[in-house]
Amino acid sequence: LLTVFVIRTFLGGTIEKGSSRILFAVARRGGIMPRKQMYAQIVTSSLTVGLGGSAGLESPITITGAAFGSNFAQRYRLSQKDRILLLACGVAAGIGAAFN
């Protein structure tokens, strides 16, 4: 219930879930991911798992890493090619962190 409260109150009622969002961002949006993805997945999955819910942490950390890379490239006005490269670097960092 706390996760639902956070999503409805602070995240506008919806969050994009699943690793397919990364593929969609690369294929259709030029590597642009929403800014709220940098913290939304980490907060909601941490609440869910921390309070005993059944969820995996691999997908949220992957999406968070991709969002950090994408938003870093957007902030510094890098090209689409560099934005997609940083998105992929964020994905790799997230997977690397999850699996040590």
Side-chain angles (χ1 to χ4, degrees), residues 10-65:
F10 300 109
L11 301 175
T14 61
I15 59 171
E16 298 177 357
K17 293 189 266 181
S19 299
S20 63
R21 294 284 104 198
I22 298 170
L23 298 174
F24 181 77
V26 170
R28 302 287 180 171
R29 301 185 68 201
I32 295 175
M33 293 193 72
R35 186 172 303 276
K36 73 178 180 180
Q37 290 296 99
M38 290 192 299
Y39 56 87
Q41 296 287 330
I42 290 296
V43 170
T44 57
S45 63
S46 296
L47 284 173
T48 301
V49 173
L51 296 173
S54 172
L57 296 176
E58 294 83 10
S59 182
I61 194 68
T62 303
I63 293 171
T64 301

mmCIF file of all heavy atoms in Angstrom, residues 10-65:
data_model
loop_
_atom_site.group_PDB
_atom_site.id
_atom_site.type_symbol
_atom_site.label_atom_id
_atom_site.label_comp_id
_atom_site.label_asym_id
_atom_site.label_seq_id
_atom_site.Cartn_x
_atom_site.Cartn_y
_atom_site.Cartn_z
ATOM 1 N N PHE A 10 3.500 10.972 -5.629
ATOM 2 C CA PHE A 10 4.723 11.631 -6.075
ATOM 3 C C PHE A 10 5.091 11.374 -7.532
ATOM 4 O O PHE A 10 5.881 12.123 -8.096
ATOM 5 C CB PHE A 10 5.898 11.215 -5.180
ATOM 6 C CG PHE A 10 5.701 11.566 -3.741
ATOM 7 C CD1 PHE A 10 5.460 10.575 -2.809
ATOM 8 C CD2 PHE A 10 5.736 12.879 -3.320
ATOM 9 C CE1 PHE A 10 5.275 10.887 -1.477
ATOM 10 C CE2 PHE A 10 5.545 13.210 -1.987
ATOM 11 C CZ PHE A 10 5.310 12.208 -1.066
ATOM 12 N N LEU A 11 4.578 10.322 -8.131
ATOM 13 C CA LEU A 11 5.005 9.955 -9.481
ATOM 14 C C LEU A 11 3.913 10.118 -10.529
ATOM 15 O O LEU A 11 4.004 9.559 -11.615
ATOM 16 C CB LEU A 11 5.524 8.513 -9.476
ATOM 17 C CG LEU A 11 6.701 8.245 -8.539
ATOM 18 C CD1 LEU A 11 7.056 6.777 -8.531
ATOM 19 C CD2 LEU A 11 7.891 9.092 -8.936
ATOM 20 N N GLY A 12 2.886 10.856 -10.210
ATOM 21 C CA GLY A 12 1.859 11.147 -11.203
ATOM 22 C C GLY A 12 0.913 10.004 -11.506
ATOM 23 O O GLY A 12 0.252 10.017 -12.537
ATOM 24 N N GLY A 13 0.884 8.995 -10.705
ATOM 25 C CA GLY A 13 -0.055 7.902 -10.888
ATOM 26 C C GLY A 13 0.429 6.743 -11.731
ATOM 27 O O GLY A 13 -0.167 5.684 -11.727
ATOM 28 N N THR A 14 1.506 6.910 -12.473
ATOM 29 C CA THR A 14 2.014 5.810 -13.297
ATOM 30 C C THR A 14 3.538 5.816 -13.310
ATOM 31 O O THR A 14 4.163 6.868 -13.172
ATOM 32 C CB THR A 14 1.543 5.920 -14.765
ATOM 33 O OG1 THR A 14 2.030 7.144 -15.313
ATOM 34 C CG2 THR A 14 0.038 5.873 -14.875
ATOM 35 N N ILE A 15 4.095 4.638 -13.482
ATOM 36 C CA ILE A 15 5.519 4.504 -13.772
ATOM 37 C C ILE A 15 5.650 3.473 -14.881
ATOM 38 O O ILE A 15 4.817 2.594 -15.033
ATOM 39 C CB ILE A 15 6.367 4.089 -12.545
ATOM 40 C CG1 ILE A 15 5.911 2.757 -11.972
ATOM 41 C CG2 ILE A 15 6.365 5.168 -11.500
ATOM 42 C CD1 ILE A 15 6.844 2.217 -10.902
ATOM 43 N N GLU A 16 6.689 3.631 -15.658
ATOM 44 C CA GLU A 16 6.938 2.684 -16.745
ATOM 45 C C GLU A 16 7.749 1.535 -16.187
ATOM 46 O O GLU A 16 8.831 1.734 -15.643
ATOM 47 C CB GLU A 16 7.678 3.374 -17.880
ATOM 48 C CG GLU A 16 6.898 4.506 -18.498
ATOM 49 C CD GLU A 16 7.674 5.232 -19.571
ATOM 50 O OE1 GLU A 16 8.848 4.900 -19.797
ATOM 51 O OE2 GLU A 16 7.104 6.134 -20.175
ATOM 52 N N LYS A 17 7.218 0.328 -16.321
ATOM 53 C CA LYS A 17 7.895 -0.837 -15.758
ATOM 54 C C LYS A 17 8.403 -1.746 -16.870
ATOM 55 O O LYS A 17 7.871 -1.767 -17.952
ATOM 56 C CB LYS A 17 6.942 -1.628 -14.862
ATOM 57 C CG LYS A 17 6.531 -0.895 -13.621
ATOM 58 C CD LYS A 17 5.782 -1.780 -12.690
ATOM 59 C CE LYS A 17 4.306 -1.625 -12.939
ATOM 60 N NZ LYS A 17 3.492 -2.425 -12.056
ATOM 61 N N GLY A 18 9.415 -2.483 -16.559
ATOM 62 C CA GLY A 18 9.925 -3.496 -17.463
ATOM 63 C C GLY A 18 11.077 -3.013 -18.317
ATOM 64 O O GLY A 18 11.182 -1.842 -18.659
ATOM 65 N N SER A 19 11.938 -3.947 -18.642
ATOM 66 C CA SER A 19 13.103 -3.634 -19.460
ATOM 67 C C SER A 19 12.739 -3.303 -20.899
ATOM 68 O O SER A 19 13.561 -2.759 -21.637
ATOM 69 C CB SER A 19 14.080 -4.811 -19.440
ATOM 70 O OG SER A 19 14.510 -5.046 -18.118
ATOM 71 N N SER A 20 11.514 -3.599 -21.295
ATOM 72 C CA SER A 20 11.081 -3.248 -22.652
ATOM 73 C C SER A 20 11.048 -1.734 -22.837
ATOM 74 O O SER A 20 11.161 -1.240 -23.957
ATOM 75 C CB SER A 20 9.707 -3.840 -22.939
ATOM 76 O OG SER A 20 8.742 -3.297 -22.056
ATOM 77 N N ARG A 21 10.942 -0.971 -21.762
ATOM 78 C CA ARG A 21 10.961 0.496 -21.839
ATOM 79 C C ARG A 21 12.316 0.983 -22.349
ATOM 80 O O ARG A 21 12.391 2.003 -23.025
ATOM 81 C CB ARG A 21 10.680 1.113 -20.474
ATOM 82 C CG ARG A 21 9.301 0.861 -19.965
ATOM 83 C CD ARG A 21 8.289 1.745 -20.670
ATOM 84 N NE ARG A 21 7.544 0.965 -21.636
ATOM 85 C CZ ARG A 21 6.839 1.447 -22.648
ATOM 86 N NH1 ARG A 21 6.777 2.726 -22.869
ATOM 87 N NH2 ARG A 21 6.189 0.680 -23.469
ATOM 88 N N ILE A 22 13.371 0.268 -22.018
ATOM 89 C CA ILE A 22 14.701 0.642 -22.489
ATOM 90 C C ILE A 22 14.777 0.434 -23.997
ATOM 91 O O ILE A 22 15.248 1.304 -24.736
ATOM 92 C CB ILE A 22 15.793 -0.175 -21.774
ATOM 93 C CG1 ILE A 22 15.760 0.111 -20.275
ATOM 94 C CG2 ILE A 22 17.175 0.141 -22.347
ATOM 95 C CD1 ILE A 22 16.622 -0.819 -19.454
ATOM 96 N N LEU A 23 14.304 -0.708 -24.448
ATOM 97 C CA LEU A 23 14.312 -0.985 -25.884
ATOM 98 C C LEU A 23 13.448 0.006 -26.643
ATOM 99 O O LEU A 23 13.807 0.454 -27.734
ATOM 100 C CB LEU A 23 13.834 -2.415 -26.141
ATOM 101 C CG LEU A 23 14.697 -3.519 -25.543
ATOM 102 C CD1 LEU A 23 14.041 -4.879 -25.752
ATOM 103 C CD2 LEU A 23 16.081 -3.489 -26.139
ATOM 104 N N PHE A 24 12.301 0.377 -26.081
ATOM 105 C CA PHE A 24 11.422 1.355 -26.709
ATOM 106 C C PHE A 24 12.108 2.712 -26.795
ATOM 107 O O PHE A 24 12.017 3.403 -27.818
ATOM 108 C CB PHE A 24 10.109 1.467 -25.924
ATOM 109 C CG PHE A 24 9.136 2.432 -26.514
ATOM 110 C CD1 PHE A 24 8.387 2.095 -27.627
ATOM 111 C CD2 PHE A 24 8.975 3.686 -25.959
ATOM 112 C CE1 PHE A 24 7.493 2.980 -28.180
ATOM 113 C CE2 PHE A 24 8.084 4.590 -26.503
ATOM 114 C CZ PHE A 24 7.334 4.235 -27.619
ATOM 115 N N ALA A 25 12.811 3.103 -25.734
ATOM 116 C CA ALA A 25 13.509 4.392 -25.732
ATOM 117 C C ALA A 25 14.589 4.438 -26.801
ATOM 118 O O ALA A 25 14.772 5.462 -27.466
ATOM 119 C CB ALA A 25 14.112 4.670 -24.362
ATOM 120 N N VAL A 26 15.274 3.337 -27.004
ATOM 121 C CA VAL A 26 16.333 3.299 -28.011
ATOM 122 C C VAL A 26 15.739 3.268 -29.416
ATOM 123 O O VAL A 26 16.150 4.018 -30.305
ATOM 124 C CB VAL A 26 17.264 2.085 -27.790
ATOM 125 C CG1 VAL A 26 18.221 1.902 -28.955
ATOM 126 C CG2 VAL A 26 18.035 2.248 -26.498
ATOM 127 N N ALA A 27 14.737 2.417 -29.626
ATOM 128 C CA ALA A 27 14.191 2.226 -30.965
ATOM 129 C C ALA A 27 13.316 3.379 -31.444
ATOM 130 O O ALA A 27 13.360 3.745 -32.615
ATOM 131 C CB ALA A 27 13.376 0.927 -31.008
ATOM 132 N N ARG A 28 12.514 3.952 -30.554
ATOM 133 C CA ARG A 28 11.521 4.933 -30.984
ATOM 134 C C ARG A 28 11.761 6.359 -30.501
ATOM 135 O O ARG A 28 11.236 7.291 -31.088
ATOM 136 C CB ARG A 28 10.123 4.508 -30.502
ATOM 137 C CG ARG A 28 9.695 3.169 -30.989
ATOM 138 C CD ARG A 28 9.345 3.228 -32.429
ATOM 139 N NE ARG A 28 8.924 1.907 -32.867
ATOM 140 C CZ ARG A 28 8.405 1.669 -34.025
ATOM 141 N NH1 ARG A 28 8.257 2.644 -34.887
ATOM 142 N NH2 ARG A 28 8.057 0.453 -34.339
ATOM 143 N N ARG A 29 12.512 6.528 -29.434
ATOM 144 C CA ARG A 29 12.639 7.857 -28.852
ATOM 145 C C ARG A 29 14.066 8.403 -28.894
ATOM 146 O O ARG A 29 14.368 9.388 -28.247
ATOM 147 C CB ARG A 29 12.134 7.836 -27.410
ATOM 148 C CG ARG A 29 10.680 7.385 -27.329
ATOM 149 C CD ARG A 29 10.120 7.464 -25.961
ATOM 150 N NE ARG A 29 10.012 8.866 -25.581
ATOM 151 C CZ ARG A 29 9.947 9.280 -24.339
ATOM 152 N NH1 ARG A 29 9.988 8.430 -23.348
ATOM 153 N NH2 ARG A 29 9.834 10.560 -24.065
ATOM 154 N N GLY A 30 14.949 7.753 -29.617
ATOM 155 C CA GLY A 30 16.312 8.248 -29.738
ATOM 156 C C GLY A 30 17.117 8.194 -28.456
ATOM 157 O O GLY A 30 18.029 8.982 -28.246
ATOM 158 N N GLY A 31 16.774 7.255 -27.574
ATOM 159 C CA GLY A 31 17.512 7.099 -26.330
ATOM 160 C C GLY A 31 17.047 8.014 -25.212
ATOM 161 O O GLY A 31 17.702 8.113 -24.185
ATOM 162 N N ILE A 32 15.903 8.672 -25.394
ATOM 163 C CA ILE A 32 15.397 9.582 -24.366
ATOM 164 C C ILE A 32 14.499 8.816 -23.400
ATOM 165 O O ILE A 32 13.529 8.183 -23.803
ATOM 166 C CB ILE A 32 14.623 10.750 -24.995
ATOM 167 C CG1 ILE A 32 15.584 11.605 -25.816
ATOM 168 C CG2 ILE A 32 13.919 11.576 -23.920
ATOM 169 C CD1 ILE A 32 14.926 12.727 -26.576
ATOM 170 N N MET A 33 14.848 8.886 -22.129
ATOM 171 C CA MET A 33 14.038 8.275 -21.076
ATOM 172 C C MET A 33 13.556 9.369 -20.136
ATOM 173 O O MET A 33 14.269 10.346 -19.918
ATOM 174 C CB MET A 33 14.845 7.235 -20.303
ATOM 175 C CG MET A 33 15.204 6.025 -21.138
ATOM 176 S SD MET A 33 15.822 4.662 -20.157
ATOM 177 C CE MET A 33 14.337 4.125 -19.351
ATOM 178 N N PRO A 34 12.352 9.198 -19.567
ATOM 179 C CA PRO A 34 11.827 10.226 -18.660
ATOM 180 C C PRO A 34 12.720 10.423 -17.436
ATOM 181 O O PRO A 34 13.324 9.479 -16.933
ATOM 182 C CB PRO A 34 10.470 9.653 -18.221
ATOM 183 C CG PRO A 34 10.121 8.634 -19.235
ATOM 184 C CD PRO A 34 11.411 8.105 -19.777
ATOM 185 N N ARG A 35 12.784 11.662 -16.972
ATOM 186 C CA ARG A 35 13.625 12.003 -15.831
ATOM 187 C C ARG A 35 13.206 11.262 -14.560
ATOM 188 O O ARG A 35 14.039 10.865 -13.755
ATOM 189 C CB ARG A 35 13.585 13.510 -15.599
ATOM 190 C CG ARG A 35 14.535 13.983 -14.541
ATOM 191 C CD ARG A 35 14.597 15.499 -14.475
ATOM 192 N NE ARG A 35 14.969 16.097 -15.745
ATOM 193 C CZ ARG A 35 16.221 16.260 -16.174
ATOM 194 N NH1 ARG A 35 17.216 15.853 -15.423
ATOM 195 N NH2 ARG A 35 16.481 16.818 -17.332
ATOM 196 N N LYS A 36 11.910 11.045 -14.392
ATOM 197 C CA LYS A 36 11.450 10.398 -13.160
ATOM 198 C C LYS A 36 11.893 8.945 -13.058
ATOM 199 O O LYS A 36 11.903 8.379 -11.975
ATOM 200 C CB LYS A 36 9.934 10.502 -13.005
ATOM 201 C CG LYS A 36 9.137 9.628 -13.931
ATOM 202 C CD LYS A 36 7.651 9.781 -13.642
ATOM 203 C CE LYS A 36 6.835 8.904 -14.564
ATOM 204 N NZ LYS A 36 5.410 9.043 -14.281
ATOM 205 N N GLN A 37 12.312 8.338 -14.164
ATOM 206 C CA GLN A 37 12.788 6.961 -14.129
ATOM 207 C C GLN A 37 14.094 6.831 -13.351
ATOM 208 O O GLN A 37 14.459 5.746 -12.942
ATOM 209 C CB GLN A 37 12.983 6.418 -15.538
ATOM 210 C CG GLN A 37 11.697 6.180 -16.298
ATOM 211 C CD GLN A 37 10.854 5.114 -15.654
ATOM 212 O OE1 GLN A 37 9.919 5.407 -14.928
ATOM 213 N NE2 GLN A 37 11.177 3.887 -15.904
ATOM 214 N N MET A 38 14.809 7.946 -13.134
ATOM 215 C CA MET A 38 16.067 7.880 -12.394
ATOM 216 C C MET A 38 15.844 7.499 -10.934
ATOM 217 O O MET A 38 16.727 6.946 -10.304
ATOM 218 C CB MET A 38 16.808 9.216 -12.468
ATOM 219 C CG MET A 38 17.359 9.515 -13.831
ATOM 220 S SD MET A 38 18.515 10.898 -13.856
ATOM 221 C CE MET A 38 17.528 12.249 -13.304
ATOM 222 N N TYR A 39 14.699 7.821 -10.403
ATOM 223 C CA TYR A 39 14.461 7.515 -8.993
ATOM 224 C C TYR A 39 13.207 6.687 -8.745
ATOM 225 O O TYR A 39 13.076 6.050 -7.715
ATOM 226 C CB TYR A 39 14.393 8.804 -8.171
ATOM 227 C CG TYR A 39 13.362 9.785 -8.661
ATOM 228 C CD1 TYR A 39 12.053 9.710 -8.223
ATOM 229 C CD2 TYR A 39 13.697 10.777 -9.567
ATOM 230 C CE1 TYR A 39 11.095 10.595 -8.678
ATOM 231 C CE2 TYR A 39 12.751 11.664 -10.024
ATOM 232 C CZ TYR A 39 11.456 11.583 -9.576
ATOM 233 O OH TYR A 39 10.511 12.450 -10.040
ATOM 234 N N ALA A 40 12.269 6.664 -9.681
ATOM 235 C CA ALA A 40 10.987 5.989 -9.461
ATOM 236 C C ALA A 40 11.147 4.498 -9.208
ATOM 237 O O ALA A 40 10.568 3.953 -8.259
ATOM 238 C CB ALA A 40 10.066 6.217 -10.656
ATOM 239 N N GLN A 41 11.920 3.816 -10.032
ATOM 240 C CA GLN A 41 12.083 2.370 -9.895
ATOM 241 C C GLN A 41 12.808 2.004 -8.606
ATOM 242 O O GLN A 41 12.444 1.040 -7.933
ATOM 243 C CB GLN A 41 12.857 1.805 -11.089
ATOM 244 C CG GLN A 41 12.140 1.950 -12.401
ATOM 245 C CD GLN A 41 10.979 0.999 -12.526
ATOM 246 O OE1 GLN A 41 10.994 -0.091 -11.973
ATOM 247 N NE2 GLN A 41 9.957 1.403 -13.248
ATOM 248 N N ILE A 42 13.831 2.777 -8.255
ATOM 249 C CA ILE A 42 14.595 2.478 -7.041
ATOM 250 C C ILE A 42 13.730 2.662 -5.800
ATOM 251 O O ILE A 42 13.715 1.809 -4.909
ATOM 252 C CB ILE A 42 15.859 3.372 -6.958
ATOM 253 C CG1 ILE A 42 16.861 2.955 -8.018
ATOM 254 C CG2 ILE A 42 16.493 3.323 -5.586
ATOM 255 C CD1 ILE A 42 17.421 1.569 -7.863
ATOM 256 N N VAL A 43 12.980 3.749 -5.751
ATOM 257 C CA VAL A 43 12.142 4.019 -4.578
ATOM 258 C C VAL A 43 11.052 2.970 -4.433
ATOM 259 O O VAL A 43 10.876 2.377 -3.361
ATOM 260 C CB VAL A 43 11.538 5.441 -4.656
ATOM 261 C CG1 VAL A 43 10.485 5.650 -3.581
ATOM 262 C CG2 VAL A 43 12.628 6.488 -4.554
ATOM 263 N N THR A 44 10.316 2.707 -5.510
ATOM 264 C CA THR A 44 9.184 1.777 -5.407
ATOM 265 C C THR A 44 9.645 0.344 -5.168
ATOM 266 O O THR A 44 9.052 -0.361 -4.352
ATOM 267 C CB THR A 44 8.290 1.857 -6.652
ATOM 268 O OG1 THR A 44 9.065 1.597 -7.829
ATOM 269 C CG2 THR A 44 7.634 3.213 -6.761
ATOM 270 N N SER A 45 10.696 -0.094 -5.845
ATOM 271 C CA SER A 45 11.152 -1.467 -5.627
ATOM 272 C C SER A 45 11.800 -1.623 -4.248
ATOM 273 O O SER A 45 11.655 -2.673 -3.616
ATOM 274 C CB SER A 45 12.119 -1.908 -6.724
ATOM 275 O OG SER A 45 13.282 -1.124 -6.711
ATOM 276 N N SER A 46 12.476 -0.594 -3.766
ATOM 277 C CA SER A 46 13.057 -0.660 -2.422
ATOM 278 C C SER A 46 11.964 -0.768 -1.360
ATOM 279 O O SER A 46 12.091 -1.533 -0.401
ATOM 280 C CB SER A 46 13.913 0.570 -2.137
ATOM 281 O OG SER A 46 15.008 0.605 -3.004
ATOM 282 N N LEU A 47 10.898 0.004 -1.534
ATOM 283 C CA LEU A 47 9.777 -0.084 -0.606
ATOM 284 C C LEU A 47 9.146 -1.469 -0.639
ATOM 285 O O LEU A 47 8.868 -2.069 0.402
ATOM 286 C CB LEU A 47 8.720 0.968 -0.934
ATOM 287 C CG LEU A 47 9.019 2.396 -0.526
ATOM 288 C CD1 LEU A 47 7.968 3.341 -1.077
ATOM 289 C CD2 LEU A 47 9.095 2.510 0.980
ATOM 290 N N THR A 48 8.918 -1.976 -1.845
ATOM 291 C CA THR A 48 8.269 -3.282 -1.984
ATOM 292 C C THR A 48 9.112 -4.388 -1.365
ATOM 293 O O THR A 48 8.630 -5.175 -0.546
ATOM 294 C CB THR A 48 8.000 -3.592 -3.466
ATOM 295 O OG1 THR A 48 7.164 -2.566 -4.007
ATOM 296 C CG2 THR A 48 7.324 -4.931 -3.636
ATOM 297 N N VAL A 49 10.377 -4.463 -1.736
ATOM 298 C CA VAL A 49 11.246 -5.529 -1.233
ATOM 299 C C VAL A 49 11.566 -5.317 0.247
ATOM 300 O O VAL A 49 11.581 -6.273 1.033
ATOM 301 C CB VAL A 49 12.540 -5.616 -2.074
ATOM 302 C CG1 VAL A 49 13.527 -6.586 -1.460
ATOM 303 C CG2 VAL A 49 12.208 -6.032 -3.495
ATOM 304 N N GLY A 50 11.803 -4.080 0.634
ATOM 305 C CA GLY A 50 12.139 -3.797 2.022
ATOM 306 C C GLY A 50 11.026 -4.123 3.012
ATOM 307 O O GLY A 50 11.278 -4.443 4.161
ATOM 308 N N LEU A 51 9.792 -4.053 2.542
ATOM 309 C CA LEU A 51 8.661 -4.362 3.399
ATOM 310 C C LEU A 51 8.151 -5.786 3.200
ATOM 311 O O LEU A 51 7.050 -6.120 3.624
ATOM 312 C CB LEU A 51 7.538 -3.357 3.173
ATOM 313 C CG LEU A 51 7.896 -1.920 3.564
ATOM 314 C CD1 LEU A 51 6.809 -0.958 3.151
ATOM 315 C CD2 LEU A 51 8.154 -1.823 5.058
ATOM 316 N N GLY A 52 8.962 -6.630 2.557
ATOM 317 C CA GLY A 52 8.632 -8.050 2.456
ATOM 318 C C GLY A 52 7.925 -8.466 1.183
ATOM 319 O O GLY A 52 7.501 -9.607 1.068
ATOM 320 N N GLY A 53 7.795 -7.564 0.228
ATOM 321 C CA GLY A 53 7.128 -7.910 -1.021
ATOM 322 C C GLY A 53 7.992 -8.789 -1.902
ATOM 323 O O GLY A 53 9.213 -8.882 -1.738
ATOM 324 N N SER A 54 7.353 -9.435 -2.834
ATOM 325 C CA SER A 54 8.050 -10.329 -3.747
ATOM 326 C C SER A 54 8.332 -9.591 -5.051
ATOM 327 O O SER A 54 7.430 -9.329 -5.837
ATOM 328 C CB SER A 54 7.174 -11.556 -4.013
ATOM 329 O OG SER A 54 7.751 -12.340 -5.025
ATOM 330 N N ALA A 55 9.588 -9.236 -5.253
ATOM 331 C CA ALA A 55 9.983 -8.530 -6.473
ATOM 332 C C ALA A 55 11.478 -8.719 -6.686
ATOM 333 O O ALA A 55 12.230 -8.904 -5.736
ATOM 334 C CB ALA A 55 9.655 -7.049 -6.375
ATOM 335 N N GLY A 56 11.886 -8.651 -7.929
ATOM 336 C CA GLY A 56 13.305 -8.732 -8.246
ATOM 337 C C GLY A 56 13.883 -7.336 -8.358
ATOM 338 O O GLY A 56 13.184 -6.379 -8.670
ATOM 339 N N LEU A 57 15.157 -7.208 -8.112
ATOM 340 C CA LEU A 57 15.807 -5.899 -8.157
ATOM 341 C C LEU A 57 16.632 -5.689 -9.426
ATOM 342 O O LEU A 57 17.184 -4.611 -9.619
ATOM 343 C CB LEU A 57 16.694 -5.733 -6.926
ATOM 344 C CG LEU A 57 15.953 -5.720 -5.586
ATOM 345 C CD1 LEU A 57 16.949 -5.652 -4.444
ATOM 346 C CD2 LEU A 57 14.990 -4.561 -5.531
ATOM 347 N N GLU A 58 16.725 -6.684 -10.278
ATOM 348 C CA GLU A 58 17.560 -6.561 -11.475
ATOM 349 C C GLU A 58 16.975 -5.579 -12.476
ATOM 350 O O GLU A 58 17.675 -4.712 -12.996
ATOM 351 C CB GLU A 58 17.762 -7.928 -12.144
ATOM 352 C CG GLU A 58 18.554 -8.914 -11.327
ATOM 353 C CD GLU A 58 17.712 -9.643 -10.299
ATOM 354 O OE1 GLU A 58 16.467 -9.523 -10.343
ATOM 355 O OE2 GLU A 58 18.295 -10.317 -9.433
ATOM 356 N N SER A 59 15.701 -5.694 -12.758
ATOM 357 C CA SER A 59 15.065 -4.806 -13.729
ATOM 358 C C SER A 59 15.052 -3.351 -13.267
ATOM 359 O O SER A 59 15.389 -2.459 -14.051
ATOM 360 C CB SER A 59 13.652 -5.288 -14.042
ATOM 361 O OG SER A 59 13.045 -4.458 -15.007
ATOM 362 N N PRO A 60 14.682 -3.058 -12.018
ATOM 363 C CA PRO A 60 14.699 -1.657 -11.592
ATOM 364 C C PRO A 60 16.079 -1.008 -11.653
ATOM 365 O O PRO A 60 16.199 0.151 -12.042
ATOM 366 C CB PRO A 60 14.188 -1.707 -10.146
ATOM 367 C CG PRO A 60 13.357 -2.924 -10.084
ATOM 368 C CD PRO A 60 14.021 -3.903 -11.008
ATOM 369 N N ILE A 61 17.128 -1.723 -11.285
ATOM 370 C CA ILE A 61 18.459 -1.127 -11.328
ATOM 371 C C ILE A 61 18.912 -0.945 -12.774
ATOM 372 O O ILE A 61 19.612 0.011 -13.094
ATOM 373 C CB ILE A 61 19.492 -1.933 -10.501
ATOM 374 C CG1 ILE A 61 20.776 -1.122 -10.282
ATOM 375 C CG2 ILE A 61 19.836 -3.244 -11.156
ATOM 376 C CD1 ILE A 61 20.612 0.062 -9.411
ATOM 377 N N THR A 62 18.490 -1.814 -13.658
ATOM 378 C CA THR A 62 18.814 -1.674 -15.068
ATOM 379 C C THR A 62 18.140 -0.439 -15.655
ATOM 380 O O THR A 62 18.771 0.351 -16.355
ATOM 381 C CB THR A 62 18.378 -2.933 -15.844
ATOM 382 O OG1 THR A 62 19.023 -4.067 -15.262
ATOM 383 C CG2 THR A 62 18.751 -2.846 -17.294
ATOM 384 N N ILE A 63 16.861 -0.263 -15.353
ATOM 385 C CA ILE A 63 16.129 0.897 -15.858
ATOM 386 C C ILE A 63 16.675 2.184 -15.249
ATOM 387 O O ILE A 63 16.798 3.204 -15.936
ATOM 388 C CB ILE A 63 14.626 0.738 -15.570
ATOM 389 C CG1 ILE A 63 14.072 -0.423 -16.390
ATOM 390 C CG2 ILE A 63 13.868 2.023 -15.889
ATOM 391 C CD1 ILE A 63 12.664 -0.820 -16.026
ATOM 392 N N THR A 64 17.032 2.154 -13.989
ATOM 393 C CA THR A 64 17.595 3.338 -13.339
ATOM 394 C C THR A 64 18.920 3.724 -13.975
ATOM 395 O O THR A 64 19.170 4.907 -14.249
ATOM 396 C CB THR A 64 17.774 3.084 -11.831
ATOM 397 O OG1 THR A 64 16.504 2.766 -11.272
ATOM 398 C CG2 THR A 64 18.357 4.290 -11.135
ATOM 399 N N GLY A 65 19.790 2.751 -14.223
ATOM 400 C CA GLY A 65 21.065 3.034 -14.875
ATOM 401 C C GLY A 65 20.876 3.606 -16.269
ATOM 402 O O GLY A 65 21.554 4.556 -16.662
#
